[in-house]
C-alpha cells in the first residue's frame, strides 16, 4: 500500500461496502483503535445494525451528500477503503476518484496493518473461514494475545474481528482472500492453503491462473516461516513445509468415527499423536480444517493438550454447517456452500452423520458467471441430495447472463424430486412437508429465510 498517511496522522476512515464480512472486520479494527468510522452499504443487515450500535455512521443511499462533511473537508487525513464488489457506476466512488482521492482495497489496508505483526494466514478456495476461525479460537483458548480478521461470525465470540488485549507479543490471524488476488498484499510468517479449486473465473479466466496466484501467495511467506498445504496440492515452497490430510500427510486424521451424530478422530503429527479429539462441528472437510489450524497453532507453541481442548470447545462459524434445529423430530442444517466442491462436502458429511434419513436440500445459486462456469459440476453435486428445492440465482455484483438460469441447472440434476421455487413458495412447501432432515445452502440472501423455515419445521 502506497499511502502518504501515517497511522499517527489519521483522523477519519470511510468505507464503500462497509457491511461486507471482511470489510466490517477492518472497520472494527479502526474503531477499536480510536478512529471515527463511517461508510456506505447497499442494504441494511444485522451486521450493519451492529456496526451502527458500536458507533459507526452508516448510510444505505448512494449519495455524495451522505458522506460526512468533516471527512470531505479533511481528505488529506482520511482513509477511503472500498470493496471490489462496488459497481463501476457507483456515484460516491466515482465522485471520490474524480477528486483525485486514492481508494484502497480491504486487502491493501490489511497488508498495511499487519506489516509489523507476526501473521498466520489461511488461504484456500474452500475452508479458509472455518480454519482461520478455529485457529483464532485455539490461540485465544491457550491465552495468546491475538488480533484476528475473519471472513465469518464465530459462534464462540459472536464477531468476525478479535481485538488484541495489549500491544506486546501480538499474533495476527488473517483470512487470506484469493478473490481479486487480494491475498497478494500479505507477507505472513506462516500460512496454510486448504484448496486451489477453480473459482472466481470471472476474475481469473482459467483454473491455471487460480493455482498460479496461490503459488505467488506461498512465495511471499517470510524466509524463516512455515507453510502447510493439503495433500495433493503440490505448491512449491522454499520455507519449512508440511502437508495435511485424512489418513495421509505429515499432519493426518486417523480412526475417524461417528458418536451421537458427531465426529471423533486421532491426529498423528511429526512429533507425536493426539488421541480422541471430539469435534462439535461435523464434516470430513472440517476435520481437514482442524488439522490445518492445529499445524499452524503448533508453530507458535501450542501443545497437543491445548489443541485437543481447543478443538473440542470450538462451536463453529455462522452459516458453516450450522445447526438451526436439532431435535428427535427434525434436523435443519445451514451452510454457506456455493461452489460444487463445497456442496458435495456438505451433503456427503450430512449423509455420513444421518445415513438413514432422506436429505431435503435447498440451494440458492450465487452469481450467473459461477453457475455458467460450473453448470455440470453443480448438477452432479446437488444430485447427492434426495430431494431439491432450487431458488433463483442471486446476482450479487452481476447482471443476468442470457441462457443461464436455475431452470437450466434443474434440467441437468438427476433427481426425481426436484423443482425451482420462489422464496414464498419454499416457506409454504416446507411448512406442508415438514422434512425430518433439511439442508439449506448458498452464499446470497438465503440466510434471511432461515427464521421462517425454522418456524415452519417447529
Amino acid at each position: 500500500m502506497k499511502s502518504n498517511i501515517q497511522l499517527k496522522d489519521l483522523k477519519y476512515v470511510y468505507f464503500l461496502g462497509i457491511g461486507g464480512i471482511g470489510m466490517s472486520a477492518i472497520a472494527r479494527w479502526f474503531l477499536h483503535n480510536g478512529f471515527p468510522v463511517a461508510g456506505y452499504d447497499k442494504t441494511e443487515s444485522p451486521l450493519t445494525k451492529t456496526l451502527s450500535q458500536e458507533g459507526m455512521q452508516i448510510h444505505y443511499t448512494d449519495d455524495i451528500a451522505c458522506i460526512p462533511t468533516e471527512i470531505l473537508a479533511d481528505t488529506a487525513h482520511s482513509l477511503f477503503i472500498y470493496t471490489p464488489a462496488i459497481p463501476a457506476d457507483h456515484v460516491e466512488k466515482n465522485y471520490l476518484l474524480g477528486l483525485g482521492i486514492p481508494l484502497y482495497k480491504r486487502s491493501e489496508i490489511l497488508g498495511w496493518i499487519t506489516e509489523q505483526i507476526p501473521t498466520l494466514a489461511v488461504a484456500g478456495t474452500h475452508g479458509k473461514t472455518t480454519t482461520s476461525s478455529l485457529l483464532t479460537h485455539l490461540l485465544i483458548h491457550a491465552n495468546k494475545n491475538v488480533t484476528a480478521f475473519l471472513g465469518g461470525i464465530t459462534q464462540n465470540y459472536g464477531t468476525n474481528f478479535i481485538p488484541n488485549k495489549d500491544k506486546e507479543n501480538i499474533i495476527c490471524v488473517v483470512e487470506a482472500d484469493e478473490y481479486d488476488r487480494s491475498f497478494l498484499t500479505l507477507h505472513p510468517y506462516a500460512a496454510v492453503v486448504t484448496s486451489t479449486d477453480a473459482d472466481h473465473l470471472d476474475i481469473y479466466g482459467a483454473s491455471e491462473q487460480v493455482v498460479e496466484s496461490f503459488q505467488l501467495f506461498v512465495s511471499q511467506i517470510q524466509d524463516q516461516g512455515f507453510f502447510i498445504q493439503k495433500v495433493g496440492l503440490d505448491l512449491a515452497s522454499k520455507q519449512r513445509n508440511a502437508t495435511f490430510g485424512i489418513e495421509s500427510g505429515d499432519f493426518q486424521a486417523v480412526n475417524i468415527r461417528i458418536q451421537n451424530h458427531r465426529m471423533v478422530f486421532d491426529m498423528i503429527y511429526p512429533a507425536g499423536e493426539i488421541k480422541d479429539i471430539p469435534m462439535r462441528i461435523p464434516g470430513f472437510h472440517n476435520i481437514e480444517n482442524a488439522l490445518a489450524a492445529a499445524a499452524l497453532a503448533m508453530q507458535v507453541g501450542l501443545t497437543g493438550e491445548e489443541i485437543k481442548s481447543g478443538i473440542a470447545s470450538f462451536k463453529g462459524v455462522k452459516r458453516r454447517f450450522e445447526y438451526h434445529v436439532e431435535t428427535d423430530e427434525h434436523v435443519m442444517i445451514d451452510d454457506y456452500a456455493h461452489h460444487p466442491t463445497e456442496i458435495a462436502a456438505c451433503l456427503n458429511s450430512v449423509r455420513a452423520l444421518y445415513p438413514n434419513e432422506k436429505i431435503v436440500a435447498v440451494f440458492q445459486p450465487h452469481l450467473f458467471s459461477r453457475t455458467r462456469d460450473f453448470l455440470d459440476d453443480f448438477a452432479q453435486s446437488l444430485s447427492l441430495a434426495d430431494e431439491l428445492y432450487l431458488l433463483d440465482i442471486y446476482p450479487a455484483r452481476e447482471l443476468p447472463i442470457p441462457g443461464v438460469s436455475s431452470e437450466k441447472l434443474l434440467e441437468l440434476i438427476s433427481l426425481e424430486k426436484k423443482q425451482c421455487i420462489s422464496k414464498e413458495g419454499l416457506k409454504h412447501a416446507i411448512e406442508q412437508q415438514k422434512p425430518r432432515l433439511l439442508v439449506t445452502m448458498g452464499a446470497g440472501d438465503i440466510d434471511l429465510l432461515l427464521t421462517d423455515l425454522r418456524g415452519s419445521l417447529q
Side-chain angles (χ1 to χ4, degrees):
M1 173 184 169
K2 299 179 175 64
S3 172
N4 296 322
I5 303 174
Q6 299 298 312
L7 205 55
K8 61 182 176 61
D9 300 323
L10 186 62
K11 292 183 180 178
Y12 306 104
V13 189
Y14 188 75
F15 288 80
L16 291 172
I18 195 168
I21 199 73
M23 291 280 279
S24 60
I26 300 288
R28 281 174 158 149
W29 186 88
F30 280 108
L31 194 70
H32 175 73
N33 284 279
F35 299 101
V37 173
Y40 158 88
D41 208 85
K42 186 177 180 181
T43 52
E44 189 177 45
S45 68
L47 180 53
T48 60
K49 287 180 183 178
T50 302
L51 297 179
S52 295
Q53 290 163 3
E54 291 172 3
M56 302 183 200
Q57 292 183 58
I58 301 178
H59 62 273
Y60 305 96
T61 304
D62 180 15
D63 188 342
I64 300 156
C66 295
I67 303 174
T69 53
E70 62 270 26
I71 294 178
L72 289 179
D74 194 3
T75 58
H77 297 98
S78 300
L79 206 55
F80 295 85
I81 305 166
Y82 77 104
T83 171
I86 288 287
D89 61 352
H90 194 268
V91 174
E92 291 184 29
K93 176 185 174 183
N94 287 304
Y95 174 74
L96 295 170
L97 289 173
L99 293 177
I101 295 170
L103 304 184
Y104 299 102
K105 294 179 183 177
R106 166 190 175 271
S107 56
E108 293 177 296
I109 300 299
L110 197 54
W112 184 52
I113 291 170
T114 60
E115 276 175 345
Q116 312 295 321
I117 305 173
T119 297
L120 307 179
V122 178
T125 45
H126 324 296
K128 58 183 173 288
T129 299
T130 298
T131 304
S132 55
S133 298
L134 175 51
L135 173 61
T136 299
H137 175 67
L138 292 177
L139 298 174
I140 293 172
H141 188 74
N143 295 312
K144 299 291 185 182
N145 184 22
V146 182
T147 189
F149 300 91
L150 307 171
I153 305 297
T154 62
Q155 300 280 25
N156 289 79
Y157 309 104
T159 182
N160 59 327
F161 167 64
I162 304 294
N164 43 292
K165 290 178 283 192
D166 54 55
K167 296 186 178 179
E168 299 298 321
N169 300 314
I170 302 171
I171 299 171
C172 181
V173 176
V174 175
E175 178 174 330
D177 189 4
E178 78 282 357
Y179 174 73
D180 203 25
R181 297 178 174 84
S182 295
F183 59 178
L184 297 183
T185 61
L186 301 173
H187 296 267
Y189 161 70
V192 63
V193 174
T194 60
S195 53
T196 59
D197 289 342
D199 198 7
H200 305 302
L201 296 185
D202 55 326
I203 300 294
Y204 284 98
S207 59
E208 291 79 11
Q209 276 69 53
V210 177
V211 175
E212 180 184 317
S213 195
F214 276 100
Q215 184 62 72
L216 285 171
F217 168 73
V218 172
S219 72
Q220 295 183 176
I221 298 171
Q222 295 171 11
D223 288 341
Q224 303 305 311
F226 173 77
F227 171 58
I228 182 166
Q229 62 185 318
K230 185 176 174 180
V231 169
L233 293 189
D234 202 29
L235 295 168
S237 169
K238 63 181 183 294
Q239 296 82 6
R240 289 181 301 119
N241 60 83
T243 57
F244 70 92
I246 291 177
E247 299 185 343
S248 62
D250 302 302
F251 294 78
Q252 57 178 277
V254 298
N255 192 24
I256 299 170
R257 60 265 191 210
I258 294 169
Q259 299 173 353
N260 299 320
H261 302 306
R262 293 293 187 271
M263 290 179 165
V264 181
F265 69 99
D266 303 336
M267 174 178 153
I268 298 172
Y269 62 101
E273 184 175 10
I274 309 171
K275 290 274 197 181
D276 305 320
I277 302 173
M279 295 275 291
R280 293 179 68 159
I281 54 168
F284 297 107
H285 55 301
N286 281 326
I287 290 178
E288 293 177 333
N289 295 336
L291 292 172
L296 285 184
M298 285 181 173
Q299 302 310 306
V300 290
L302 267 68
T303 66
E305 193 51 48
E306 286 173 329
I307 284 170
K308 179 177 178 178
S309 60
I311 291 174
S313 59
F314 179 60
K315 298 176 183 176
V317 181
K318 280 193 173 296
R319 301 225 57 229
R320 269 64 173 189
F321 216 103
E322 182 183 4
Y323 280 87
H324 283 261
V325 179
E326 191 177 9
T327 66
D328 291 339
E329 292 77 30
H330 300 286
V331 171
M332 175 178 162
I333 298 167
D334 176 54
D335 197 272
Y336 192 68
H338 57 286
H339 182 282
T341 302
E342 296 166 346
I343 292 167
C346 177
L347 293 177
N348 282 328
S349 295
V350 172
R351 184 75 69 194
L353 294 171
Y354 301 95
N356 301 318
E357 296 290 348
K358 181 176 78 170
I359 300 174
V360 177
V362 180
F363 179 57
Q364 180 188 45
H366 184 262
L367 296 179
F368 290 96
S369 60
R370 183 183 283 121
T371 306
R372 175 199 62 200
D373 293 339
F374 302 106
L375 196 63
D376 290 335
D377 295 326
F378 273 122
Q380 187 173 351
S381 60
L382 288 167
S383 297
L384 294 170
D386 295 301
E387 186 173 341
L388 178 68
Y389 293 103
L390 196 58
L391 294 168
D392 286 339
I393 296 171
Y394 185 80
R397 56 187 179 269
E398 293 184 337
L399 295 173
I401 296 174
V404 180
S405 66
S406 291
E407 288 75 14
K408 179 70 173 175
L409 173 57
L410 190 77
E411 291 174 8
L412 301 175
I413 295 168
S414 61
L415 294 176
E416 285 187 20
K417 294 187 175 180
K418 59 179 181 177
Q419 64 173 293
C420 288
I421 198 166
S422 67
K423 291 173 182 176
E424 283 303 316
L426 176 65
K427 295 175 194 175
H428 179 72
I430 298 303
E431 192 167 345
Q432 294 297 309
Q433 184 181 3
K434 288 192 170 17
R436 284 180 56 84
L437 178 56
L438 178 66
V439 181
T440 56
M441 298 175 292
D445 61 0
I446 189 173
D447 57 313
L448 300 178
L449 300 175
L450 299 180
T451 300
D452 286 338
L453 295 178
R454 190 165 58 235
S456 296
L457 285 183
Q458 296 177 316

